[in-house]
PDB file of all heavy atoms in Angstrom:
ATOM      1  N   HIS W 408      -0.414   2.601  21.204  1.00  0.00           N
ATOM      2  CA  HIS W 408      -1.464   3.413  20.569  1.00  0.00           C
ATOM      3  C   HIS W 408      -1.472   3.237  19.057  1.00  0.00           C
ATOM      4  O   HIS W 408      -1.613   4.205  18.315  1.00  0.00           O
ATOM      5  CB  HIS W 408      -1.305   4.892  20.955  1.00  0.00           C
ATOM      6  CG  HIS W 408      -1.341   5.107  22.433  1.00  0.00           C
ATOM      7  ND1 HIS W 408      -2.495   4.961  23.179  1.00  0.00           N
ATOM      8  CD2 HIS W 408      -0.368   5.415  23.313  1.00  0.00           C
ATOM      9  CE1 HIS W 408      -2.216   5.171  24.459  1.00  0.00           C
ATOM     10  NE2 HIS W 408      -0.934   5.437  24.566  1.00  0.00           N
ATOM     11  N   LEU W 409      -1.268   2.009  18.611  1.00  0.00           N
ATOM     12  CA  LEU W 409      -1.250   1.756  17.169  1.00  0.00           C
ATOM     13  C   LEU W 409      -2.546   1.108  16.683  1.00  0.00           C
ATOM     14  O   LEU W 409      -2.756   0.974  15.482  1.00  0.00           O
ATOM     15  CB  LEU W 409      -0.066   0.849  16.805  1.00  0.00           C
ATOM     16  CG  LEU W 409       1.293   1.542  16.690  1.00  0.00           C
ATOM     17  CD1 LEU W 409       2.395   0.521  16.474  1.00  0.00           C
ATOM     18  CD2 LEU W 409       1.278   2.545  15.535  1.00  0.00           C
ATOM     19  N   ASN W 410      -3.404   0.671  17.611  1.00  0.00           N
ATOM     20  CA  ASN W 410      -4.666   0.074  17.166  1.00  0.00           C
ATOM     21  C   ASN W 410      -5.514   1.130  16.465  1.00  0.00           C
ATOM     22  O   ASN W 410      -5.579   2.277  16.898  1.00  0.00           O
ATOM     23  CB  ASN W 410      -5.445  -0.489  18.367  1.00  0.00           C
ATOM     24  CG  ASN W 410      -4.893  -1.817  18.806  1.00  0.00           C
ATOM     25  OD1 ASN W 410      -4.444  -2.606  17.983  1.00  0.00           O
ATOM     26  ND2 ASN W 410      -4.908  -2.073  20.110  1.00  0.00           N
ATOM     27  N   GLY W 411      -6.141   0.728  15.374  1.00  0.00           N
ATOM     28  CA  GLY W 411      -6.976   1.670  14.639  1.00  0.00           C
ATOM     29  C   GLY W 411      -6.189   2.670  13.821  1.00  0.00           C
ATOM     30  O   GLY W 411      -6.750   3.646  13.343  1.00  0.00           O
ATOM     31  N   THR W 412      -4.871   2.449  13.661  1.00  0.00           N
ATOM     32  CA  THR W 412      -4.091   3.354  12.817  1.00  0.00           C
ATOM     33  C   THR W 412      -3.639   2.639  11.544  1.00  0.00           C
ATOM     34  O   THR W 412      -3.530   1.414  11.506  1.00  0.00           O
ATOM     35  CB  THR W 412      -2.827   3.857  13.538  1.00  0.00           C
ATOM     36  OG1 THR W 412      -1.967   2.732  13.760  1.00  0.00           O
ATOM     37  CG2 THR W 412      -3.171   4.502  14.871  1.00  0.00           C
ATOM     38  N   PHE W 413      -3.358   3.437  10.527  1.00  0.00           N
ATOM     39  CA  PHE W 413      -2.877   2.902   9.260  1.00  0.00           C
ATOM     40  C   PHE W 413      -1.566   2.149   9.465  1.00  0.00           C
ATOM     41  O   PHE W 413      -1.379   1.036   8.972  1.00  0.00           O
ATOM     42  CB  PHE W 413      -2.683   4.071   8.279  1.00  0.00           C
ATOM     43  CG  PHE W 413      -2.456   3.642   6.864  1.00  0.00           C
ATOM     44  CD1 PHE W 413      -3.523   3.295   6.049  1.00  0.00           C
ATOM     45  CD2 PHE W 413      -1.176   3.597   6.340  1.00  0.00           C
ATOM     46  CE1 PHE W 413      -3.310   2.907   4.744  1.00  0.00           C
ATOM     47  CE2 PHE W 413      -0.959   3.197   5.038  1.00  0.00           C
ATOM     48  CZ  PHE W 413      -2.027   2.856   4.232  1.00  0.00           C
ATOM     49  N   LEU W 414      -0.656   2.755  10.238  1.00  0.00           N
ATOM     50  CA  LEU W 414       0.648   2.133  10.489  1.00  0.00           C
ATOM     51  C   LEU W 414       0.486   0.775  11.172  1.00  0.00           C
ATOM     52  O   LEU W 414       1.152  -0.198  10.818  1.00  0.00           O
ATOM     53  CB  LEU W 414       1.512   3.073  11.354  1.00  0.00           C
ATOM     54  CG  LEU W 414       2.897   2.544  11.717  1.00  0.00           C
ATOM     55  CD1 LEU W 414       3.748   2.380  10.472  1.00  0.00           C
ATOM     56  CD2 LEU W 414       3.591   3.470  12.715  1.00  0.00           C
ATOM     57  N   GLY W 415      -0.429   0.712  12.142  1.00  0.00           N
ATOM     58  CA  GLY W 415      -0.671  -0.549  12.830  1.00  0.00           C
ATOM     59  C   GLY W 415      -1.108  -1.636  11.870  1.00  0.00           C
ATOM     60  O   GLY W 415      -0.589  -2.769  11.897  1.00  0.00           O
ATOM     61  N   PHE W 416      -2.063  -1.312  11.001  1.00  0.00           N
ATOM     62  CA  PHE W 416      -2.525  -2.281  10.004  1.00  0.00           C
ATOM     63  C   PHE W 416      -1.376  -2.747   9.107  1.00  0.00           C
ATOM     64  O   PHE W 416      -1.220  -3.934   8.838  1.00  0.00           O
ATOM     65  CB  PHE W 416      -3.614  -1.649   9.129  1.00  0.00           C
ATOM     66  CG  PHE W 416      -5.005  -1.862   9.648  1.00  0.00           C
ATOM     67  CD1 PHE W 416      -5.740  -0.805  10.148  1.00  0.00           C
ATOM     68  CD2 PHE W 416      -5.575  -3.125   9.628  1.00  0.00           C
ATOM     69  CE1 PHE W 416      -7.027  -0.995  10.630  1.00  0.00           C
ATOM     70  CE2 PHE W 416      -6.860  -3.321  10.095  1.00  0.00           C
ATOM     71  CZ  PHE W 416      -7.586  -2.250  10.603  1.00  0.00           C
ATOM     72  N   VAL W 417      -0.575  -1.775   8.631  1.00  0.00           N
ATOM     73  CA  VAL W 417       0.508  -2.118   7.704  1.00  0.00           C
ATOM     74  C   VAL W 417       1.504  -3.045   8.386  1.00  0.00           C
ATOM     75  O   VAL W 417       1.896  -4.079   7.823  1.00  0.00           O
ATOM     76  CB  VAL W 417       1.201  -0.837   7.186  1.00  0.00           C
ATOM     77  CG1 VAL W 417       2.507  -1.192   6.493  1.00  0.00           C
ATOM     78  CG2 VAL W 417       0.281  -0.090   6.231  1.00  0.00           C
ATOM     79  N   LEU W 418       1.912  -2.719   9.614  1.00  0.00           N
ATOM     80  CA  LEU W 418       2.894  -3.552  10.316  1.00  0.00           C
ATOM     81  C   LEU W 418       2.351  -4.968  10.516  1.00  0.00           C
ATOM     82  O   LEU W 418       3.043  -5.955  10.270  1.00  0.00           O
ATOM     83  CB  LEU W 418       3.237  -2.927  11.675  1.00  0.00           C
ATOM     84  CG  LEU W 418       4.145  -1.692  11.633  1.00  0.00           C
ATOM     85  CD1 LEU W 418       4.290  -1.102  13.032  1.00  0.00           C
ATOM     86  CD2 LEU W 418       5.502  -2.058  11.064  1.00  0.00           C
ATOM     87  N   ALA W 419       1.098  -5.054  10.981  1.00  0.00           N
ATOM     88  CA  ALA W 419       0.526  -6.371  11.269  1.00  0.00           C
ATOM     89  C   ALA W 419       0.409  -7.202   9.989  1.00  0.00           C
ATOM     90  O   ALA W 419       0.784  -8.379   9.952  1.00  0.00           O
ATOM     91  CB  ALA W 419      -0.846  -6.203  11.919  1.00  0.00           C
ATOM     92  N   HIS W 420      -0.084  -6.591   8.913  1.00  0.00           N
ATOM     93  CA  HIS W 420      -0.245  -7.347   7.670  1.00  0.00           C
ATOM     94  C   HIS W 420       1.091  -7.679   7.025  1.00  0.00           C
ATOM     95  O   HIS W 420       1.225  -8.680   6.319  1.00  0.00           O
ATOM     96  CB  HIS W 420      -1.137  -6.563   6.700  1.00  0.00           C
ATOM     97  CG  HIS W 420      -2.581  -6.660   7.041  1.00  0.00           C
ATOM     98  ND1 HIS W 420      -3.571  -6.077   6.304  1.00  0.00           N
ATOM     99  CD2 HIS W 420      -3.210  -7.309   8.042  1.00  0.00           C
ATOM    100  CE1 HIS W 420      -4.750  -6.345   6.843  1.00  0.00           C
ATOM    101  NE2 HIS W 420      -4.544  -7.088   7.913  1.00  0.00           N
ATOM    102  N   LEU W 421       2.089  -6.830   7.286  1.00  0.00           N
ATOM    103  CA  LEU W 421       3.418  -7.086   6.733  1.00  0.00           C
ATOM    104  C   LEU W 421       3.991  -8.394   7.286  1.00  0.00           C
ATOM    105  O   LEU W 421       4.602  -9.182   6.556  1.00  0.00           O
ATOM    106  CB  LEU W 421       4.332  -5.901   7.074  1.00  0.00           C
ATOM    107  CG  LEU W 421       5.614  -5.740   6.267  1.00  0.00           C
ATOM    108  CD1 LEU W 421       5.326  -5.810   4.787  1.00  0.00           C
ATOM    109  CD2 LEU W 421       6.279  -4.420   6.617  1.00  0.00           C
ATOM    110  N   VAL W 422       3.763  -8.641   8.581  1.00  0.00           N
ATOM    111  CA  VAL W 422       4.264  -9.877   9.188  1.00  0.00           C
ATOM    112  C   VAL W 422       3.601 -11.098   8.542  1.00  0.00           C
ATOM    113  O   VAL W 422       4.236 -12.134   8.349  1.00  0.00           O
ATOM    114  CB  VAL W 422       3.999  -9.877  10.709  1.00  0.00           C
ATOM    115  CG1 VAL W 422       4.334 -11.217  11.315  1.00  0.00           C
ATOM    116  CG2 VAL W 422       4.823  -8.802  11.367  1.00  0.00           C
ATOM    117  N   ILE W 423       2.301 -10.957   8.181  1.00  0.00           N
ATOM    118  CA  ILE W 423       1.577 -12.054   7.554  1.00  0.00           C
ATOM    119  C   ILE W 423       2.016 -12.240   6.101  1.00  0.00           C
ATOM    120  O   ILE W 423       2.092 -13.360   5.599  1.00  0.00           O
ATOM    121  CB  ILE W 423       0.052 -11.741   7.573  1.00  0.00           C
ATOM    122  CG1 ILE W 423      -0.449 -11.624   9.002  1.00  0.00           C
ATOM    123  CG2 ILE W 423      -0.739 -12.778   6.808  1.00  0.00           C
ATOM    124  CD1 ILE W 423      -0.510 -12.939   9.715  1.00  0.00           C
TER     125      ILE W 423
END
Side-chain angles (χ1 to χ4, degrees):
Chain W
H408 303 289
L409 280 174
N410 281 325
T412 65
F413 192 81
L414 179 65
F416 269 111
V417 167
L418 285 175
H420 282 182
L421 198 50
V422 172
I423 298 288

